[in-house]
Amino acid sequence: MAGSYKMTIAGLERELPLCPLSDKIDIAAFIMFSDVELTVAASEELLKKCPDFDVILTAESKGIPLAYEMARQSGKPYIVARKSVKLYMTDPISVTVKSITTANEQTLYLSQEKAAMLKGKNVLIVDDVISTGESLIALERLTEAAGGNITGRSAVLAEGDAADRDDIIFLEKLPLFFK
């Protein structure tokens, strides 16, 4: 690893490890798993900025703690788009995505029961970090396939060029680290 990057998120200071993405660029790894204090604070701050919604949608797995906590604080349900079909999933719908933090293409799935929870509803898409926007596109496509209406796209951090987008809600900008 090539050091770390210190930043303040939702009023809390955190040191993010730098990880090589290629020989020309490092990214700061933002992992909310196990950081309950940050998850609670980031959820509270994001909810203040988000438009009204009926249901939260996130992708497995790094967005799950955030989606859960935002659902808990708002009293609204959340749905997780899964990375594989589970035995209990009936007639799942799917989309394929290529993310900056994942080596290969991956497919996201929603069972018909979860898709039905999105139909005709105002959907808030939630993730930990928006970078290239590929995961966001996959969640948008799942929402559209299920007949939901996207009212907002939110993340704790917007990485690199994503911070220049005006169609996402985020708390802090996360720079890329060029070598």
Side-chain angles (χ1 to χ4, degrees):
M1 275 214 276
S4 63
Y5 175 69
K6 190 179 286 190
M7 68 182 302
T8 302
I9 307 163
L12 301 171
E13 194 171 281
R14 294 295 185 266
E15 200 157 322
L16 310 181
L18 294 180
C19 304
L21 186 62
S22 71
D23 59 346
K24 294 181 172 43
I25 191 167
D26 287 348
I27 59 172
F30 177 63
I31 311 296
M32 292 185 72
F33 290 135
S34 304
D35 195 337
V36 175
E37 179 185 37
L38 181 61
T39 302
V40 170
S43 297
E44 186 176 338
E45 292 306 309
L46 265 178
L47 283 168
K48 289 176 186 174
K49 299 176 92 171
C50 288
D52 192 36
F53 62 91
D54 300 313
V55 63
I56 293 168
L57 177 64
T58 194
E60 189 176 35
S61 66
K62 286 172 47 187
I64 294 172
L66 180 66
Y68 165 81
E69 183 58 24
M70 289 177 74
R72 190 190 70 76
Q73 289 183 23
S74 68
K76 309 270 177 86
Y78 76 103
I79 296 170
V80 178
R82 304 299 303 262
K83 290 183 179 176
S84 62
V85 176
K86 305 301 177 190
L87 292 174
Y88 57 81
M89 295 173 87
T90 56
D91 195 23
I93 60 173
S94 66
V95 296
T96 301
V97 63
K98 176 75 172 103
S99 171
I100 189 173
T101 55
T102 307
N104 302 314
E105 264 191 355
Q106 61 185 358
T107 304
L108 295 177
Y109 301 90
L110 280 181
S111 68
Q112 283 302 315
E113 294 84 359
K114 298 301 182 192
M117 289 176 66
L118 298 178
K119 186 176 178 69
K121 300 290 194 232
N122 291 326
V123 179
L124 176 64
I125 295 174
V126 170
D127 210 347
D128 60 336
V129 178
I130 295 174
S131 185
T132 63
E134 293 300 317
S135 297
L136 189 62
I137 290 168
L139 291 169
E140 290 171 345
R141 288 174 46 208
L142 275 177
T143 301
E144 290 162 7
N149 173 45
I150 299 165
T151 60
R153 298 151 182 87
S154 65
V156 177
L157 303 177
E159 185 173 50
D161 292 342
D164 298 329
R165 293 175 59 160
D166 60 5
D167 65 329
I168 61 172
I169 299 157
F170 60 95
L171 298 181
E172 300 296 335
K173 297 177 182 182
L174 182 62
L176 295 171
F177 300 88
F178 297 94
K179 299 176 192 177

